[in-house]
Amino acid sequence: MSAVKRVALMVLYAIPPLFAALYAGATEIADGQFTPWRPVMIDLDVYVRTAELVLRGEDFYNVEAWLPWLYTPFAALLAIPFAFMGTIGAQLFWLVVNGLMVMAIVYRLGFKTWRLSLISVAAIWLIEPMRVTLGFGQVNLFLMALVVFDLMPGPRVLGNRKRLLPQGWLTGVAAAIKLTPALFAVYLFLAGRVKTAIVTFLSFVAATVIGFIVLPGPSVDYWGRLIGGDSGLNTGMKYYTNQSIIGSYIRFSEENPDSIPLGGLVLAALVILIGVFAAVLWHRLGHMGFAVGLAAMTALLASPISWSHHFVWILPLAVVMVTDKKLPDALRFVGLGFSLWVMYAPFMQFKDGQDEFQYTTGQKLIDAGSVILGLIFFGVAIALALRLRREQGLPWLPLTLKENEVTPVSAENAER
């Protein structure tokens, strides 16, 4: 096939997902319209405002605005191009980029041609976190794409070209934008990918140092507040769309703290131990894509604030569970049940403005559904992984940092 025909087919396959992204981005949030074009991309507005403040040398953390800037100073530097696009230009640009990233992620997961186009459209329109991410103009898909391209096995978008930089650096950049992806470094280290974990850490440090050099004042402000337990939106941790275990803990305790509560931190630490253990076990069994998805869900459930739209990671996790036929059927059944819950997000039927502390016990349990089902999923994953290790004659606990013990599917799951 000629190069012209290949390009024409690529454009043809890209049209439906890009239209889906533009439509979802314009209409998902209340009062948004596709025609005439009038999206309500409130998070993207924050990115544009922050970029303009950075260029003017003004304080972008302490502003009189409804939504604050919650990311790192390094992330603020990356937002600068938005300042030159204008509101509509930034909206169109970001939605197109996000649509293309969805396609690239689906391609990485092994789909091509019309299947790639169809699955991308379905993901954008049927997965609630995807639609809301596009509607708000959030950064979630961008962060997920960095990690997927870095760590997920599968065909590379740019073919068989060698990496210009070592594996792990994109994940480090993601962590330097928003701290949640830093958990991947822990998972990588314990899974035996020590070099990749070190690269991730060094990449994070390098990006953070750039933030300190270019924006020293905001860097001291941001990291100082963070060390003191201030996430920048502590009083918002109780909101029903916060699907982390800390959010559930606060809603059940009915106390709205000014800082992350100790009880919530303890529960978050337990989630990290359970989730990372599950990810490491399955990585050692050769299911690297599944392990990355487990690590991502662990980070989301343990984070102080994980809004429902942060759970875009349900796309690669669900696809891996469908396509990896060597995963136990029981694990796939439970995992896909958890995935359907996250994709539909039943708690989103609750009304905005209702006091979460006035919820009934049933409502609180529904709102905690992502945490409850996620922990059940982790538990089943651990139990089945330990059973497989016993059947293979491996010790129940992988004590060494060697990546491969007995991994018959490693070669098949390795990056192609």
Side-chain angles (χ1 to χ4, degrees):
M1 184 183 297
S2 68
V4 174
K5 287 184 177 180
R6 284 199 299 271
V7 171
L9 279 175
M10 290 172 60
V11 172
L12 182 65
Y13 293 138
I15 290 175
L18 291 181
F19 175 81
L22 290 168
Y23 187 83
T27 62
E28 180 61 25
I29 307 305
D31 300 325
Q33 293 183 187
F34 185 69
T35 54
W37 182 260
R38 195 177 65 193
V40 185
M41 301 173 70
I42 56 177
D43 284 297
L44 182 62
D45 291 343
V46 175
Y47 305 163
V48 173
R49 180 193 73 209
T50 300
E52 294 170 347
L53 291 173
V54 169
L55 290 178
R56 294 202 297 265
E58 298 179 17
D59 185 356
F60 52 86
Y61 280 116
N62 302 292
V63 295
E64 293 293 332
W66 175 41
L67 292 177
W69 173 260
L70 299 176
Y71 305 109
T72 65
F74 174 72
L77 294 176
L78 296 183
I80 287 177
F82 287 128
F84 302 99
M85 298 180 185
T87 300
I88 295 178
Q91 291 169 346
L92 293 172
F93 169 79
W94 195 231
L95 289 173
V96 169
V97 167
N98 276 267
L100 292 174
M101 283 190 294
V102 172
M103 291 188 67
I105 290 167
V106 174
Y107 178 83
R108 181 73 166 199
L109 295 171
F111 295 94
K112 301 178 181 179
T113 63
W114 65 268
R115 294 180 181 84
L116 167 63
S117 184
L118 180 62
I119 293 173
S120 298
V121 171
I124 290 169
W125 274 351
L126 298 180
I127 299 177
E128 191 271 350
M130 288 281 190
R131 296 196 310 272
V132 177
T133 285
L134 293 167
F136 282 146
Q138 257 276 357
V139 73
N140 310 317
L141 279 168
F142 177 71
L143 295 177
M144 179 172 70
L146 290 178
V147 180
V148 167
F149 301 156
D150 202 16
L151 303 182
M152 274 274 189
R156 299 180 64 184
V157 175
L158 297 179
N160 294 322
R161 298 180 183 179
K162 293 183 178 180
R163 292 176 180 269
L164 296 178
L165 292 172
Q167 190 175 31
W169 79 275
L170 286 175
T171 305
V173 169
I177 295 171
K178 185 178 180 181
L179 295 183
T180 309
L183 187 66
F184 286 104
V186 178
Y187 144 69
L188 289 166
F189 182 82
L190 295 176
R193 298 173 68 178
V194 177
K195 179 181 177 181
T196 305
I198 293 173
V199 170
T200 298
F201 174 74
L202 293 177
S203 175
F204 164 77
V205 170
T208 302
V209 168
I210 291 173
F212 266 98
I213 292 173
V214 181
L215 298 170
S219 294
V220 172
D221 184 11
Y222 173 83
W223 292 104
R225 286 190 293 105
L226 193 65
I227 292 172
D230 184 0
S231 68
L233 198 61
N234 281 353
T235 57
M237 289 187 292
K238 74 164 187 174
Y239 294 150
Y240 71 97
T241 52
N242 180 14
Q243 291 295 291
S244 73
I245 196 166
I246 292 177
S248 293
Y249 173 84
I250 291 172
R251 288 189 289 272
F252 274 99
S253 67
E254 299 187 356
E255 294 182 4
N256 198 17
D258 293 329
S259 60
I260 302 172
L262 178 60
L265 283 175
V266 171
L267 291 176
L270 289 175
V271 169
I272 290 173
L273 288 174
I274 295 169
V276 170
F277 185 45
V280 169
L281 286 174
W282 282 102
H283 182 101
R284 295 297 188 97
L285 289 168
H287 298 266
M288 282 82 81
F290 181 60
V292 171
L294 285 173
M297 283 298 146
T298 302
L300 290 170
L301 293 178
S303 174
I305 295 180
S306 290
W307 304 125
S308 62
H309 51 273
H310 291 167
F311 284 74
V312 291
W313 268 99
I314 207 63
L315 168 63
L317 179 61
V319 170
V320 167
M321 285 189 292
V322 170
T323 57
D324 189 350
K325 305 296 185 182
K326 294 187 177 181
L327 289 171
D329 290 341
L331 178 60
R332 298 169 74 197
F333 177 80
V334 174
L336 289 174
F338 169 64
S339 299
L340 289 174
W341 177 276
V342 173
M343 289 177 184
Y344 179 67
F347 50 86
M348 292 300 290
Q349 303 303 313
F350 296 159
K351 294 181 180 179
D352 286 329
Q354 182 182 359
D355 186 355
E356 284 81 356
F357 294 154
Q358 300 302 315
Y359 282 178
T360 65
T361 301
Q363 286 176 307
K364 290 178 181 178
L365 287 173
I366 291 173
D367 210 7
S370 299
V371 173
I372 295 170
L373 294 176
L375 290 175
I376 292 173
F377 178 40
F378 290 164
V380 172
I382 290 172
L384 293 175
L386 293 177
R387 188 184 72 179
L388 286 174
R389 289 181 66 85
R390 185 174 65 250
E391 291 174 352
Q392 295 179 8
L394 297 171
W396 74 275
L397 184 64
L399 296 175
T400 70
L401 292 180
K402 294 181 180 179
E403 181 176 357
N404 294 322
E405 296 161 320
V406 177
T407 56
V409 296
S410 292
E412 297 177 19
N413 284 349
E415 180 182 8
R416 297 189 290 275

